[in-house]
């Protein structure tokens, strides 16, 4: 698939276009947006290094190339400059597109989702503006009739026809139209869509949009070509699924919040990413990087001082590289680009030579010489006319401070919070957050970062409202100044009027009360009306997320994904690093069980430091335990770390993608060998570890009775199970309507697994996405599931659904669902049983 980079002079515009395109493609296309510069007075502009980072990030995820769509003037120059810095192999896969920014990006994204190559997507994007032109200057009735007649006469006599009535509430608007185009694009046949006398190619988002198909309209598909029958079947299924859209997808969002907390045209109002929901108003605690105060001291050994300086610079660069890798892992290359700049600053020979000259010429200590060189360089940046380059002065001081602390042997100063405040910083690193007190931190605002930055993760974990990535705000906020933030809309008021303060304070009070009520509901056990307690767990992807699970009311962790330890790095994690991560997550859960899944990568989720063969169909290739069994040393290291961690906490091991008895016997043999080896070495290991498997493939369901005899629990992964049962790639838009976990075929697989577990006396859990759907909770209990695991945000709702039902009603619902004909029919059953749905 190709990826897309959106470049605009306005950051807000670029992000808005990205949001629109992402919604239309449901996130299937790798995309990033860049725009604006870090200058509060003149934020309009483009930065070639940001464009470079975005292209590299998207190129790493898009094997078919990157299309760059730009707006006016310097956006093109910045994109061309970025190309000059790209590696030749990446540059060869990048194309600059002259299409209009909004219409072109949307058209290109939809084409990309349907599998188009760079040339096809670029061509479709280039013609996107024609839709608007034709809508503003429509053809006459006579012209439309003549066109329709010509098209009808040109259609082959053996063309297949499909007539449907559009049931979508808003007709074939952006998202359903995109799904239609993606589906049509998978077939070689010509597919046309007609509404009345007007007709369009169903493979063109622009032409489909031009038809303006509304709710209740009757449309006719005409399909001709070698795979016409298959195309008609796919279109019929897509239409039956309402083109992949539900009424709740297009429900109008409440506008009261947006109106009341709207963003006036005010230089003291800033917009960023709403990274953690909530409201805050109070004094700012501004954290600014400061160079340590250095006293001039002499030295009689310049050579020794130069060696110390070089060692400190090297150590600082190593720190920056580690931070860059960590930031790439959680936020992507674009977010980590600033650290590449920092490394270039420290690698600058001119900066180092200026300090060395002072060491040798003035016979002074390295720390003083370096501090002077850094301040002179920063001042030189600050005197430049270009706003973007002026902003680099802060980066020079940040880097300089890191080297100085190493030279002085001093640790970075810990934060000591003494009063309630909203923390304001350029960014927050893990070391920064150690001193933050959740009871005193009213909110968090940063200039840098995104929704997955350290600051955002911290804020969500602690339930602190946060706005991340609000450039320019530091320049308008003084320490102690009263500010306000809206973590729902991403708005920061640097100098809020009294009316804004009162409004945000009132909203905060209501929000805290609602959160308290939700927390109470989430913390209470989920007990059905007939007295059955259903454990509700959380899925997490890192130790930091364990706190979120606990706060949400989870009784444990049902799925701890360990891939974060292995991906986006240059070497595999060692046993000690893994052990520490597993224990940290279990400690955060305060004695509650934690189910840790062994490494689940391969094929569609490669690891760059391991040799993996290119697979034509990675979903049917070396995945899960197959991948690990083929790399026993990597597997053994993880097993040792897990077994040691299980000796100090309630940790359970779960193996993914087990497809037959032999695989399970193999992994259990390795587990037993490592257990015995650790015990023989005198290391603490538990006498027994609860061990289970994920049920994700039909083969495992078919032999579930035999697998159940070998393990302690099952956990159903509905995402993979659904795509394997339906033979439909969940990432393929053309067959997406088939990939529905409520399909009766999938439900029957779940029921079979539950019966096998019950017969063997082992619990069957579910950790797939379906487990977090409150509407489906009664059905899942009726099918026989004993535990559910989901995202923390779903816990309270699922628990409420469990409390509102009883076993008899659940079983009756399950019987009806298993007898249904389609996923749509099952969903209607669920809605009928829940009038509020």
């Amino acid at each position: 698939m190709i990826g897309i980079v959106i470049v605009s002079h306005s950051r807000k515009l670029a992000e808005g276009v990205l949001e629109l395109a992402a919604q239309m493609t449901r996130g299937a296309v790798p995309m990033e947006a860049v725009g604006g510069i870090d200058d509060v007075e003149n934020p309009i502009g483009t930065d070639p290094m940001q464009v470079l980072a975005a292209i590299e990030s998207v190129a790493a995820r898009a094997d078919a190339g990157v299309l760059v769509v730009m707006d006016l003037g310097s956006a093109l120059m910045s994109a061309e400059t970025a190309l000059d810095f790209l590696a030749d192999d990446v540059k060869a896969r990048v194309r600059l597109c002259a299409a209009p920014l909004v219409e072109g990006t949307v058209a290109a994204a939809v084409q990309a989702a349907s599998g188009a190559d760079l040339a096809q997507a670029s061509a479709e994007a280039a013609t996107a503006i024609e839709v608007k032109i034709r809508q503003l200057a429509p053809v006459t009735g006579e012209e439309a009739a003549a066109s329709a007649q010509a098209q009808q006469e040109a259609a082959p006599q053996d063309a297949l026809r499909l007539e449907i009535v559009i049931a979508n509430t808003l007709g074939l608007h952006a998202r359903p139209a995109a799904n239609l185009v993606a589906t049509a694009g998978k077939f070689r046949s010509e597919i046309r869509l007609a509404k009345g006398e007007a007709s369009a190619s169903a493979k063109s988002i622009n032409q489909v949009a031009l038809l303006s198909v509304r709710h209740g309209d009757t449309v006719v598909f005409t399909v001709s070509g070698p795979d016409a029958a298959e195309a008609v079947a796919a279109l019929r299924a897509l239409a039956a699924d309402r083109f992949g859209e539900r009424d709740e997808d297009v429900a109008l969002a409440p506008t009261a919040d947006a109106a009341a907390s709207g963003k006036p045209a005010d230089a003291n109002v800033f917009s960023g990413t709403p990274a953690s929901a909530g409201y805050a108003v109070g004094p700012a605690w501004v954290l600014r990087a400061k160079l340590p105060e250095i006293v001039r001291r002499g030295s009689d050994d310049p050579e020794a001082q130069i060696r110390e300086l070089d060692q400190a610079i090297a150590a600082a660069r190593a720190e920056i590289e580690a931070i860059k890798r960590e930031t790439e892992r959680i936020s992507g290359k674009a977010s980590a680009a600033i650290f590449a700049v920092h490394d270039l600053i420290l690698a600058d020979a001119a900066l180092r030579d200026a300090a060395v000259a002072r060491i040798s010429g003035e016979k002074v200590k390295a720390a003083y010489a370096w501090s002077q060189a850094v301040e002179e360089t920063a001042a030189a940046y600050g005197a430049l006319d270009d706003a973007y380059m002026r902003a680099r002065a802060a980066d020079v001081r940040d880097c300089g401070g890191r080297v100085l602390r190493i030279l002085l042997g001093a640790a970075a100063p810990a934060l000591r919070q003494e009063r309630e405040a909203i923390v304001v910083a350029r960014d927050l690193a893990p070391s920064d957050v150690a001193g933050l007190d959740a009871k005193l931190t009213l909110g968090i605002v940063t200039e840098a970062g995104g929704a997955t930055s350290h600051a955002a993760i911290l804020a969500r974990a602690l339930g602190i409202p946060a706005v991340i990535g609000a450039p320019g705000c530091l320049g308008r906020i003084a320490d102690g100044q009263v500010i306000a933030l809206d973590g729902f809309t991403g708005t920061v008021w640097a100098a809020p009027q009294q009316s804004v303060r009162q409004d945000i304070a009132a909203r905060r009070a209501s929000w805290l009360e609602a959160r308290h009520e939700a927390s109470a509901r989430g913390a209470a056990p989920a007990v059905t009306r007939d007295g059955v307690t259903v454990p509700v767990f959380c899925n997490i992807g890192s130790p930091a997320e364990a706190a979120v699970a606990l706060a949400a009311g989870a009784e444990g962790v049902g799925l701890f994904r360990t891939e974060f330890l292995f991906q986006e790095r240059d070497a595999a994690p060692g046993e000690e690093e893994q052990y520490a991560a597993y224990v940290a997550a279990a400690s955060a859960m305060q004695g509650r069980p934690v189910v840790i899944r062994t490494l689940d990568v391969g094929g569609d989720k490669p690891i760059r430091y391991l040799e993996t063969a290119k697979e034509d169909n990675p979903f049917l290739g070396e995945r899960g335990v197959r991948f690990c069994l083929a790399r026993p040393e990597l597997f053994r290291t993880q097993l040792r770390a897990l077994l040691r961690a299980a000796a100090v906490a309630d940790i359970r091991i779960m193996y993914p993608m087990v497809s037959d008895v032999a695989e399970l016997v193999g992994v259990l043999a390795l587990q037993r060998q490592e257990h015995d080896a650790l015990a023989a070495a005198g290391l603490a290991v538990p006498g027994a570890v609860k061990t289970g498997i994920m049920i994700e493939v039909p083969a495992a369901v078919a032999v579930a009775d035999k697998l159940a005899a070998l393990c302690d629990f099952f956990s159903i992964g509905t995402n993979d199970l659904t795509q394997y049962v339906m033979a439909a790639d969940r990432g393929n838009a053309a067959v997406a309507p088939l990939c529905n976990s409520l399909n009766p075929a999938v439900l029957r697989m779940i029921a079979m697994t539950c019966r096998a577990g019950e017969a063997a006396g082992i619990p069957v859990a579910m950790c797939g996405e379906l487990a977090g759907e409150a509407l489906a909770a009664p059905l899942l209990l009726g099918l026989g599931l004993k535990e559910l695991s989901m995202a923390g945000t779903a816990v309270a709702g699922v628990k409420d659904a469990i409390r509102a039902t009883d076993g008899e009603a659940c079983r009756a619902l399950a019987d009806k669902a298993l007898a249904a004909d389609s996923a749509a029919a099952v969903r209607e059953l669920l809605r009928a049983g829940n009038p509020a749905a």
Side-chain angles (χ1 to χ4, degrees):
M1 179 179 289
I2 69 168
I4 297 173
V5 171
I6 305 159
V7 184
S8 172
H9 287 66
S10 166
R11 179 171 177 252
K12 294 180 184 177
L13 176 58
E15 291 175 346
V17 175
L18 174 63
E19 180 182 7
L20 177 62
Q23 285 183 1
M24 293 182 66
T25 59
R26 295 183 181 269
V29 179
M31 289 187 286
E32 287 197 16
V34 292
I37 58 175
D38 295 332
D39 181 359
V40 67
E41 299 293 342
N42 300 286
I44 301 300
T46 54
D47 177 2
M49 299 312 293
Q50 290 183 15
V51 179
L52 172 66
I55 293 175
E56 290 180 333
S57 176
V58 173
R61 294 173 280 148
D63 56 1
V66 179
L67 190 68
V68 183
V69 188
M70 306 146 290
D71 59 17
L72 308 173
S74 68
L76 173 59
M77 291 185 288
S78 292
E80 290 176 332
T81 301
L83 290 184
D84 292 338
F85 287 94
L86 286 171
D88 289 341
D89 61 327
V90 177
K91 184 176 180 179
R93 298 189 293 118
V94 177
R95 173 179 292 214
L96 304 186
C97 179
L101 187 69
V102 179
E103 297 87 352
T105 300
V106 169
V110 172
Q111 292 300 116
S114 69
D117 59 24
L118 274 178
Q120 292 168 330
S122 181
E124 179 73 6
T127 62
I129 196 64
E130 294 178 9
V131 175
K132 184 180 292 184
I133 294 172
R134 290 179 61 188
Q135 284 178 327
L136 293 175
V139 297
T140 65
E142 292 80 1
E143 290 171 331
S147 175
Q149 182 177 353
Q151 291 164 359
Q152 185 175 0
E153 291 173 354
Q157 294 300 312
D158 59 349
L160 302 180
R161 295 177 79 256
L162 172 64
E163 181 176 305
I164 64 168
V165 177
I166 300 299
N168 297 66
T169 303
L170 298 182
L172 294 187
H173 69 103
R175 286 186 297 272
N179 291 336
L180 168 59
V181 172
T183 299
K186 296 299 181 182
F187 297 96
R188 290 174 293 163
S189 295
E190 181 181 358
I191 304 175
R192 297 199 65 80
L193 174 65
K195 172 192 170 185
E197 296 177 337
S199 175
S201 168
K203 297 182 180 182
S204 168
I205 186 63
N206 298 316
Q207 293 185 33
V208 170
L210 184 61
L211 284 181
S212 190
V213 178
R214 305 302 185 201
H215 172 77
D217 285 348
T218 298
V219 297
V220 177
F221 289 98
T222 304
V223 186
S224 59
D227 49 6
E230 293 88 344
V232 168
L235 291 170
R236 182 178 288 111
L238 182 65
D241 195 50
R242 297 162 64 100
F243 296 90
E245 181 179 69
R246 303 287 175 267
D247 286 342
E248 55 266 33
D249 296 335
V250 295
L252 295 179
T255 58
D257 281 2
S261 62
K263 304 172 185 179
D266 187 333
N268 287 315
V269 179
F270 300 88
S271 294
T273 299
S276 183
Y279 304 94
V281 59
W285 182 27
V286 181
L287 309 179
R288 301 182 190 276
K290 295 181 180 178
L291 294 180
E293 186 175 347
I294 304 297
V295 177
R296 179 187 177 107
R297 288 192 174 91
S299 171
D300 294 329
D301 191 351
E303 293 302 320
Q305 292 300 309
I306 292 171
R307 283 195 300 274
E308 285 187 22
L309 176 62
D310 287 340
Q311 290 168 358
I313 292 173
R317 292 185 67 187
E319 286 183 6
I320 288 171
E321 177 60 27
I323 294 171
K324 178 175 175 287
R325 284 200 306 268
E326 174 69 3
T327 304
E328 282 184 4
R329 183 180 67 79
I330 65 172
S331 304
K333 284 190 175 182
S335 297
I338 183 61
F339 297 110
V341 175
H342 282 203
D343 185 64
L344 290 173
I345 290 171
L346 290 184
D348 184 5
L351 181 59
R352 183 252 184 200
D353 291 347
V356 168
R358 189 171 256 110
I359 291 172
S360 301
E362 300 180 22
K363 300 295 190 290
V364 293
K365 292 271 192 182
Y368 177 77
W370 175 256
S371 68
Q372 295 300 300
V374 166
E375 190 52 46
E376 289 172 359
T377 303
Y381 272 102
L384 296 174
D385 293 333
D386 183 84
Y388 173 76
M389 296 309 293
R390 282 200 306 272
R392 301 286 71 76
D395 295 323
V396 171
R397 291 189 174 96
D398 281 350
C399 298
R402 188 179 297 276
V403 174
L404 277 179
R405 282 191 289 273
I406 294 171
L407 282 169
L408 298 173
L415 302 181
R416 291 292 180 264
Q417 191 171 358
E418 299 176 352
R419 56 183 171 82
E420 281 193 340
I422 298 174
V423 176
V424 182
R426 187 183 187 283
D427 202 354
L428 291 177
S431 58
D432 294 329
V433 305
L436 291 183
D437 186 330
K439 295 179 180 178
L440 296 178
T441 305
L442 301 175
I444 293 174
V445 177
T446 70
E447 282 199 326
T452 56
S453 68
H454 288 116
I457 291 171
L458 167 75
R460 288 193 292 271
L462 300 180
I464 298 172
V467 177
I468 305 300
C473 64
L474 267 175
R476 294 279 183 171
I477 299 175
D479 197 56
Q481 175 181 329
V482 174
I483 66 172
L485 71 87
D486 181 340
F488 290 95
T489 64
T491 307
V492 178
W493 291 264
Q497 296 179 354
Q498 187 63 28
S499 60
V500 174
R501 295 189 193 185
Q502 293 172 348
D503 179 57
I504 296 299
R507 290 171 179 274
R508 177 176 175 83
S510 298
W511 166 68
L512 288 173
E513 182 179 356
R515 191 173 70 165
H516 177 74
E517 292 175 357
S519 177
R521 297 199 327 270
V527 183
T528 63
R529 289 185 301 204
D530 53 343
V532 177
T533 300
V534 180
V536 177
F537 293 170
C538 270
N539 301 335
I540 66 173
S542 70
E545 295 177 23
V548 178
L550 191 63
E555 277 91 34
V557 171
L559 170 61
F560 180 8
R561 306 177 185 91
T562 59
E563 291 74 51
F564 80 100
L565 284 165
F566 294 82
Q567 293 177 322
E568 298 301 324
R569 56 190 294 162
D570 297 322
E575 182 179 327
E576 293 304 320
E577 181 182 353
Q578 293 188 56
Y579 169 79
Y582 305 149
V583 171
S587 297
M589 291 306 297
Q590 301 177 7
R592 294 165 178 80
V594 176
V595 177
I596 301 180
R597 184 180 69 186
T598 57
L599 182 61
D600 185 16
V601 296
D604 64 319
K605 297 181 287 187
I607 294 181
R608 65 188 180 205
Y609 52 84
L610 294 176
E611 290 294 329
T612 55
K614 187 179 185 308
E615 297 176 313
D616 291 334
N617 194 332
F619 284 109
L620 300 181
E622 221 176 41
R623 295 189 64 198
V625 292
R626 303 173 186 175
F627 183 93
C628 290
L629 287 171
R631 296 157 182 82
E633 287 311 310
L634 182 79
F635 197 20
R636 288 178 184 275
T637 299
Q638 183 171 36
L639 289 175
R640 287 195 297 272
L642 286 168
L643 290 166
R644 288 173 54 203
V648 298
D650 186 359
I651 286 176
R652 303 164 189 189
I653 301 174
M654 181 164 67
Y655 296 107
M657 296 299 296
V658 172
S659 56
D660 65 14
V661 173
E663 280 181 337
L664 182 54
V665 169
V667 296
L668 291 177
L670 283 177
Q671 179 178 315
R672 189 163 47 253
Q673 291 170 15
E674 293 308 318
H675 178 279
D676 294 345
L678 289 169
L683 295 172
V685 288
V689 181
K690 287 190 176 181
T691 302
I693 64 171
M694 291 193 70
I695 300 294
E696 301 170 276
V697 296
V701 178
V703 294
D705 56 336
K706 295 182 180 297
L707 295 171
L710 298 173
C711 56
D712 300 307
F713 63 90
F714 287 158
S715 187
I716 299 175
T718 51
N719 301 345
D720 274 319
L721 180 62
T722 300
Q723 75 169 345
Y724 290 129
V725 169
M726 303 306 300
D729 179 357
R730 64 189 186 195
N732 186 332
V735 293
L738 292 172
C739 214
N740 190 322
S741 296
L742 291 177
N743 189 291
V746 179
L747 298 181
R748 292 185 182 198
M749 289 282 181
I750 294 171
M752 291 169 60
T753 303
C754 290
R755 287 196 293 270
E758 185 174 0
I762 67 171
V764 180
M766 178 180 287
C767 59
E769 287 186 17
L770 187 60
E773 190 171 340
L775 198 62
L779 168 61
L780 299 180
L781 299 185
L783 291 172
L785 287 153
K786 304 301 183 185
E787 300 170 0
L788 301 174
S789 189
M790 64 209 64
T793 53
V795 168
V798 169
K799 284 190 172 184
D800 283 345
I802 292 171
R803 297 183 190 115
T805 191
D806 59 63
E808 184 178 350
C810 292
R811 288 186 289 274
L813 177 62
D815 288 342
K816 292 179 180 178
L818 292 172
D821 294 329
S822 66
V826 173
R827 185 167 289 279
E828 287 304 318
L829 282 172
L830 301 185
R831 287 174 174 156
N834 185 355

